[in-house]
């Protein structure tokens, strides 16, 4: 299957239609840690934003090892999108206030400027997509998802034989 910019469009549709995904980091021993995360925004270039406490395990993992993956499932469509990305904590009161969502209040009672809230920006360098409902899969129903490298993004390695989006 040829990889085109529509692959990124498919991935963006999947992640934008579901507000939660799984963030995978690694601990100091290289052991994966996966947890459910609510993303706050998904930009057209596939940048994904979420919030966390600067004292959380995910913040500590990201500070030490910023390469992460973020996966979102669309179960009814038999689809998923995984974004391989560099995670960047964003220390900006203006950005935190602009991206604040009141549904976060139970987790961050002091709000976006209360000291226990940090934004994280995921800058993807590779996207992996499988979407049977949209026909995004290898023929004939292979076990390998479509992958693409996001141009100009992150410092992640390009994959041989993969297209740039």
């Amino acid at each position: 299957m040829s990889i085109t910019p529509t692959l990124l469009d498919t991935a963006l549709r999947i992640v934008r239609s579901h507000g939660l995904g799984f963030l995978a980091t690694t601990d100091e021993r290289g052991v994966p840690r996966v947890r459910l995360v609510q993303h706050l925004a998904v930009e057209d270039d596939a940048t994904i934003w979420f919030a966390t406490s600067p004292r959380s395990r995910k913040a500590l993992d990201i500070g030490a090892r910023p390469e992460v993956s973020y996966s979102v499932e669309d179960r009814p469509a038999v689809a998923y999108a995984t974004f391989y990305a560099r995670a960047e904590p964003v220390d900006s009161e203006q950005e935190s206030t602009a991206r604040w969502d009141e549904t976060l209040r139970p987790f961050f009672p002091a709000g976006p400027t209360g000291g226990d809230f940090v934004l994280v920006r995921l800058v993807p360098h590779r996207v992996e997509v499988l979407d049977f409902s949209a026909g995004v899969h290898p023929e004939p129903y292979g076990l390998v998802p479509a992958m693409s490298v996001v141009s100009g993004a992150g410092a992640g390695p390009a994959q041989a034989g993969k297209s740039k989006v």
Side-chain angles (χ1 to χ4, degrees):
M1 180 178 108
S2 136
I3 298 174
T4 67
T6 37
L7 181 63
L8 182 59
D9 293 337
T10 301
L12 291 174
R13 178 187 48 76
I14 291 168
V15 74
R16 286 178 173 152
S17 65
H18 301 280
L20 300 171
F22 291 94
L23 177 73
T25 61
T26 54
D27 70 11
E28 63 281 351
R29 294 168 293 145
V31 175
R33 291 181 175 170
V34 180
R35 76 282 282 158
L36 194 61
V37 172
Q38 173 186 350
H39 51 267
L40 301 175
V42 181
E43 297 176 2
D44 290 341
D45 67 355
T47 298
I48 299 170
W49 295 83
F50 69 88
T52 190
S53 166
R55 296 175 293 127
S56 69
R57 288 180 308 145
K58 72 178 90 56
L60 297 174
D61 289 348
I62 287 168
R65 291 161 304 283
E67 286 300 314
V68 302
S69 64
Y70 185 68
S71 297
V72 176
E73 177 192 30
D74 182 349
R75 187 162 294 180
V78 187
Y80 76 90
T82 297
F83 298 82
Y84 297 89
R86 181 168 188 83
E88 303 171 346
V90 176
D91 185 19
S92 164
E93 189 172 305
Q94 180 180 359
E95 193 76 49
S96 292
T97 301
R99 295 193 181 274
W100 174 254
D101 180 330
E102 275 302 317
T103 63
L104 298 172
R105 183 79 55 192
F107 305 100
F108 306 101
T113 59
D116 193 39
F117 177 89
V118 65
L119 281 175
V120 178
R121 174 178 46 222
L122 301 182
V123 180
H125 49 78
R126 188 171 59 149
V127 178
E128 178 179 306
V129 179
L130 187 71
D131 186 343
F132 282 94
S133 71
V136 178
H137 54 77
E139 294 297 337
Y141 292 142
L143 298 177
V144 179
M147 287 193 269
S148 184
V149 176
V150 179
S151 0
Q159 298 292 311
K162 306 301 180 206
S163 298
K164 291 209 181 264
V165 175

